[in-house]
């Protein structure tokens, strides 16, 4: 089954927004798992939010 053209599925802005939300969730999971410290999480989160 062929994929739908991008303009019929979502806009680039929606894709960017979804990608940023996914990244924030990933960062939260890394913090909960102890991979990132609170300071590292805060810095990474701020970097992601600046891109919005």
């Amino acid at each position: 089954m062929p994929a739908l053209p991008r303009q019929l599925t979502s806009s680039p802005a929606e894709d960017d927004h979804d990608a940023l939300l996914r990244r924030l969730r990933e960062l939260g999971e890394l913090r909960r798992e102890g991979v990132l410290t609170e300071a590292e999480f805060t810095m990474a989160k701020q970097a992601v939010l600046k891109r919005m």
Side-chain angles (χ1 to χ4, degrees):
M1 178 175 194
L4 291 174
R6 183 182 186 109
Q7 63 269 28
L8 295 178
T9 58
S10 62
S11 72
E14 289 173 348
D15 290 344
D16 289 346
H17 185 256
D18 290 345
L20 290 173
L21 289 177
R22 276 194 305 275
R23 186 63 182 140
L24 289 172
R25 282 190 208 104
E26 291 169 357
L27 290 171
E29 289 174 19
L30 291 171
R31 184 187 66 188
R32 280 190 296 279
E33 294 169 358
V35 176
L36 293 177
T37 65
E38 188 65 33
E40 291 168 329
F41 169 76
T42 300
M43 287 175 32
K45 180 178 71 172
Q46 288 172 346
V48 169
L49 292 174
K50 282 183 183 179
R51 292 186 216 146
M52 288 186 86

